Amino acid sequence: MLDEKMTDAINKQLNAELYSAYLYLSMGAYFESEDLSGFANWMRVQAQEELSHAMKFYDYLVQRGARVTLTEIETPPTEWDSPVAVFEHVFEHEQMVTGLINKLVDLAISISDHATNNFLQWYVAEQVEEEESASGVLQKVKLAGESPSGLFMLDQELSQRVFNPPASSQ
Ligand code: FEO
């Protein structure tokens, strides 16, 4: 049986992952409105990744016989000043999520929940990739913003991103 505090904390993280999906869909809608369909595609794929992160927590709670409790999802922002501002936001958001995952690991360790700590290590590794991916696009969009054709070329590149469902860690 999963500890009550751990169950609550995982349910909160499930909500945070769903919010991330919501945030990236909102960013995608912003890019659609700016006629940057490649950027919008990148965000759509990112939202799918976040949904898969949420479902991994959902499935873990079910597997441990704990109750999944869904709560209200915060309204995301809808406007940004520029593509650079969007990706600065993405990078900051992912750093914040890394902090949340680290706190979950701290909790698992503090109550000697080795199984959950082991489960969470998938997210620890995933956050390294999430931050790298966000900062990689941020650097490119900063460079692209300085040349007239740069944004168009980057939009073409980002249109190629496809969703690869993560392999199960269980
Ligand atoms: Fe679910 Fe982007 O971290």
Side-chain angles (χ1 to χ4, degrees):
M1 219 21 214
L2 206 57
D3 176 271
E4 202 176 316
K5 261 193 296 183
M6 200 71 238
T7 301
D8 287 349
I10 291 177
N11 270 310
K12 280 206 182 78
Q13 189 61 32
L14 206 171
N15 180 284
E17 300 290 347
L18 290 174
Y19 173 76
S20 296
Y22 223 38
L23 174 65
Y24 294 138
L25 277 180
S26 188
M27 289 172 170
Y30 161 80
F31 282 126
E32 295 284 9
S33 76
E34 296 286 307
D35 291 326
L36 288 167
S37 60
F39 281 82
N41 173 67
W42 193 95
M43 288 298 172
R44 187 179 290 246
V45 172
Q46 188 65 21
Q48 286 176 292
E49 283 211 356
E50 299 302 346
L51 279 177
S52 76
H53 295 170
M55 288 313 297
K56 218 173 173 67
F57 280 117
Y58 184 110
D59 289 341
Y60 183 69
L61 288 172
V62 171
Q63 185 184 31
R64 299 299 307 275
R67 186 74 162 86
V68 172
T69 312
L70 299 180
T71 52
E72 187 177 3
I73 301 168
E74 192 187 326
T75 303
T78 55
E79 299 296 335
W80 289 266
D81 289 339
S82 64
V84 169
V86 175
F87 276 93
E88 279 171 345
H89 190 167
V90 173
F91 187 42
E92 281 166 21
H93 183 73
E94 289 302 334
Q95 288 175 298
M96 187 276 291
V97 172
T98 298
L100 294 178
I101 297 293
N102 287 342
K103 283 209 171 71
L104 278 178
V105 172
D106 289 344
L107 176 61
I109 290 170
S110 75
I111 60 173
S112 300
D113 183 349
H114 300 293
T116 301
N117 182 18
N118 182 52
F119 166 73
L120 289 170
Q121 292 309 307
W122 182 89
Y123 288 90
V124 172
E126 177 70 4
Q127 281 311 120
V128 173
E129 286 183 22
E130 289 281 78
E131 286 191 29
E132 182 188 20
S133 162
S135 74
V137 182
L138 176 58
Q139 293 315 313
K140 283 182 183 175
V141 79
K142 277 181 175 170
L143 287 171
E146 288 163 19
S147 81
S149 59
L151 214 54
F152 175 76
M153 304 246 306
L154 184 54
D155 193 60
Q156 294 290 107
E157 183 185 326
L158 298 183
S159 74
Q160 303 302 310
R161 187 182 187 195
V162 291
F163 175 58
N164 295 308
S168 173
S169 64
Q170 296 168 42

